[in-house]
């Protein structure tokens, strides 16, 4: 045992050092706590402003699988669901679910890797081939979501010498993706072909030009004038990009989307779309188009290179859904019939229904609080719909967005129309 002065001195130094470190750490915590407290107050002020504007979004909790009828936490009875992107009703289809289970057993829960290291299985390549075949394109590439597909495309495709010309109401993911690229940026008024032509004239010095549009605009349910866009693209030697998230699988006679809806073939150069809506509703997005572009995206697209591969069950679910669509299921005809019935019934009752023969059927109300109130009263009648207001839609253009599915029956459609009529009269929306 050592009890020398030096030894005892060393022990004292250790004690002093420990106290010093604790003091420094405590000071750091106080400093961080002060900064965090200030940040919390700023964030709470922002949240309160959202509440005061009547645009705070509460999330209802579903305790069942996604379907036409869902169980919602706090509700005693199941609700008729008219606000899902489950356009074909495949999210809960038994064959789709079984495909996911089988893939889970055979391929595992996930890859724990990005695609180019050790994250590509044969089912990923099979699905990409099937997507390209479905759209009649040369190749396709999978992403974790279509948001990622939109984030990963423009930066790779366009240089500072190029120009991108985008519809002003394009989806937020398109807007964010365009922000990442260095091309000259132009925005044309919504579906305004005269303004699009003006922007094409302004950008004629660009090396390459890309017209960018949603196929179907998700808040309004209206459709891009693809024939006219194509004519301008030919006249001004521009390419066309289209986001088909609210069209793939169900829009057009066989569900091929906006091109098919207008009777066009290969009018569009690049298509981005999703596996998370009509095609099983799980997750995933993709780009399909020229093989050279797809090869380049595999080399340079950051969301693809730095994101885990799609989980095998998700891949299998999408593939089975795509097989059902391509196998002539008749589901796109069923959703079209349901859409026509709802739109006609609501219009006859005096409601203003936005959009153009699409399953997205926004019931226009204008006032944000009225939209929220009507949605709550519809919930009380067993109908699950959501009110949309600023900043999701422009101020003064609040609406309830109703979404029709092939899984809805005519009785479901009629019951929902009756509920809208009763609530609409109660709130003096119709008379």
């Amino acid at each position: 045992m050592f009890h020398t002065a030096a030894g005892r001195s060393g022990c004292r130094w250790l004690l002093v050092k420990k106290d010093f470190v604790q003091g420094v750490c405590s000071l750091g915590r106080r400093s961080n706590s002060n900064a965090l407290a200030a940040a919390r107050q700023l964030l709470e002020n922002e949240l309160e402003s959202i509440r005061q504007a009547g645009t705070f979004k509460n999330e209802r909790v579903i305790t069942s699988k996604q379907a036409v009828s869902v169980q919602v936490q706090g509700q005693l009875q199941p609700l008729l669901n008219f606000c899902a992107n489950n356009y074909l009703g495949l999210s809960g289809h038994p064959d789709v679910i079984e495909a996911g289970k089988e893939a889970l057993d055979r391929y595992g829960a996930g890859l724990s890797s990005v695609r180019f290291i050790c994250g590509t299985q044969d089912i990923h390549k099979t699905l990409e081939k099937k997507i390209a075949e479905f759209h009649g394109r040369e190749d396709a590439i999978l992403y974790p979501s279509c948001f990622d597909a939109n984030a990963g495309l423009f930066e790779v495709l366009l240089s500072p010498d190029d120009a991108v010309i985008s519809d002003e109401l394009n989806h937020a993911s398109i807007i964010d993706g365009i922000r990442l690229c260095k091309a000259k940026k132009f925005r044309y008024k919504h579906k305004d072909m005269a303004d699009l032509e003006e922007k094409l004239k302004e950008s004629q010095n660009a090396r390459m030009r890309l017209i960018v549009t949603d196929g179907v605009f998700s808040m309004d349910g209206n459709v891009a004038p693809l024939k006219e866009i194509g004519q301008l693209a030919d006249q001004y030697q521009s390419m066309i990009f289209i986001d088909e998230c609210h069209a793939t699988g169900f829009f057009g006679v066989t569900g091929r989307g906006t091109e098919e809806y207008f009777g066009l073939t290969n009018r569009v150069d690049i298509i981005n779309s999703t596996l998370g809506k009509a095609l099983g509703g799980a997750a995933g997005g993709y780009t399909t188009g020229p093989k050279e572009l797809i090869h380049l995206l595999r080399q340079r697209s950051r969301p693809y290179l730095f994101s885990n591969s799609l989980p095998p069950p998700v891949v299998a679910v999408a593939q089975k859904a795509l097989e059902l669509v391509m196998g002539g299921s008749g589901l796109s005809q069923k959703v079209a019939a349901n859409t026509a019935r709802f739109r006609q019934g609501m219009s006859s009752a005096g409601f203003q229904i936005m959009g153009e023969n699409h399953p997205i059927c926004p019931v226009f109300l204008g006032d944000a609080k009225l939209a929220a109130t009507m949605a709550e009263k519809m919930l009380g009648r067993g109908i699950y719909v959501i009110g949309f207001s600023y900043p999701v839609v422009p101020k003064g253009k609040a609406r309830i967005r109703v979404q029709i599915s092939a899984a809805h029956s005519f009785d479901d459609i009629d019951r929902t129309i009756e509920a809208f009529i009763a609530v609409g009269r109660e709130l003096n929306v119709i008379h």
Side-chain angles (χ1 to χ4, degrees):
M1 294 180 64
F2 285 84
H3 293 292
T4 64
R8 289 192 296 271
S9 175
C11 289
R12 284 196 300 273
W13 162 241
L14 287 174
L15 288 172
V16 171
K17 183 178 180 181
K18 180 180 177 183
D19 291 342
F20 173 75
V21 171
Q22 287 177 336
V24 170
C25 290
S26 177
L27 180 62
R29 282 196 298 272
R30 284 197 299 272
S31 176
N32 288 339
S33 295
N34 290 338
L36 180 58
R40 284 181 189 275
Q41 188 59 55
L42 289 171
L43 296 172
E44 182 53 44
N45 292 344
E46 187 67 22
L47 288 168
E48 183 58 28
S49 70
I50 296 172
R51 294 188 190 98
Q52 290 298 321
T55 57
F56 192 88
K57 298 164 189 64
N58 292 299
E59 297 179 359
R60 296 190 179 117
V61 179
I62 296 174
T63 58
S64 63
K65 67 182 178 182
Q66 184 65 274
V68 165
S69 178
V70 293
Q71 192 68 50
V72 175
Q73 200 172 81
Q75 299 294 319
L76 297 178
Q77 300 296 326
L79 302 177
L80 266 181
N81 190 354
F82 274 85
C83 57
N85 295 316
N86 189 20
Y87 293 110
L88 298 177
L90 296 180
S91 296
H93 192 286
D95 292 349
V96 173
I97 293 172
E98 188 59 32
K101 290 179 179 178
E102 291 176 0
L104 184 64
D105 289 336
R106 180 177 177 183
Y107 290 100
L111 275 301
S112 303
S113 174
V114 298
R115 286 284 299 269
F116 78 92
I117 297 178
C118 58
T120 298
Q121 293 173 317
D122 56 350
I123 54 174
H124 293 91
K125 301 303 290 184
T126 300
L127 179 56
E128 287 171 335
K129 182 178 179 181
K130 183 68 69 174
I131 288 169
E133 177 189 346
F134 177 71
H135 286 286
R137 264 60 183 186
E138 294 177 356
D139 202 355
I141 179 174
L142 290 171
Y143 286 88
S145 69
C146 191
F147 202 111
D148 286 314
N150 285 338
L153 172 68
F154 304 105
E155 183 180 21
V156 174
L157 177 63
L158 301 173
S159 77
D161 297 324
D162 302 319
V164 57
I165 308 161
S166 178
D167 188 293
E168 66 178 351
L169 293 189
N170 277 338
H171 191 267
S173 61
I174 296 175
I175 295 169
D176 286 357
I178 288 173
R179 284 172 176 164
L180 293 171
C181 79
K182 296 180 180 179
K184 299 175 183 68
K185 300 170 181 69
F186 298 84
R187 185 172 62 182
Y188 65 94
K189 296 175 184 176
H190 181 49
K191 296 180 59 178
D192 187 327
M193 295 299 96
D195 195 40
L196 172 57
E197 183 170 16
E198 187 63 33
K199 299 303 186 292
L200 286 166
K201 289 177 180 178
E202 291 177 22
S203 61
Q204 287 193 90
N205 292 331
R207 181 192 67 164
M208 183 168 63
R209 285 177 291 178
L210 182 67
I211 301 170
V212 174
T213 183
D214 274 315
V216 176
F217 294 85
S218 61
M219 287 299 108
D220 297 320
N222 59 7
V223 187
L226 196 53
K227 288 183 178 179
E228 291 79 3
I229 290 174
Q231 291 167 358
L232 288 172
D234 287 344
Q235 182 179 348
Y236 291 93
Q237 298 182 5
S238 300
M239 295 192 300
I240 303 173
F241 162 92
I242 193 169
D243 182 312
E244 288 282 70
C245 284
H246 289 277
T248 297
F250 65 95
F251 199 49
V253 176
T254 67
R256 260 63 177 190
T258 307
E259 284 182 316
E260 186 177 60
Y261 176 74
F262 285 114
L264 303 172
T265 303
N266 287 327
R267 175 66 276 190
V268 173
D269 300 291
I270 305 165
I271 296 173
N272 277 9
S273 195
T274 184
L275 306 172
K277 293 182 171 61
L279 299 181
Y286 59 84
T287 297
T288 186
K291 62 181 184 298
E292 296 85 359
L293 171 63
I294 303 305
H295 293 337
L296 187 59
L297 291 173
R298 292 192 195 281
Q299 300 303 312
R300 292 184 177 173
S301 180
R302 293 162 71 88
Y304 177 83
L305 290 168
F306 298 105
S307 296
N308 260 21
S309 305
L310 274 182
V314 172
V315 174
V317 160
Q319 185 167 322
K320 175 55 69 174
L322 201 51
E323 288 173 2
L324 290 171
V325 171
M326 296 174 74
S329 63
L331 291 173
S332 57
Q333 288 86 352
K334 181 63 165 59
V335 72
N338 283 347
T339 297
R341 189 179 187 91
F342 180 81
R343 284 182 171 274
Q344 181 177 355
M346 290 288 285
S347 297
S348 297
F351 288 100
Q352 182 181 347
I353 307 301
M354 305 168 68
E356 304 166 18
N357 300 319
H358 189 275
I360 295 174
C361 303
V363 182
F364 183 81
L365 297 169
D367 183 72
K369 290 187 178 179
L370 175 61
T373 301
M374 178 171 255
E376 284 297 323
K377 287 185 175 292
M378 289 292 290
L379 193 70
R381 292 176 176 270
I383 311 297
Y384 188 2
V385 290
I386 295 291
F388 285 84
S389 56
Y390 181 83
V392 179
V393 297
K395 289 181 178 179
K397 295 190 176 182
R399 78 283 307 262
I400 290 178
R401 188 178 72 173
V402 177
Q403 289 172 276
I404 309 298
S405 171
H408 288 127
S409 67
F410 278 180
D411 286 343
D412 296 333
I413 301 292
D414 294 343
R415 177 185 159 191
T416 301
I417 294 171
E418 289 168 6
F420 264 112
I421 291 172
V423 173
R425 286 174 176 163
E426 179 183 348
L427 298 176
N428 294 317
V429 175
I430 58 170
H431 304 286

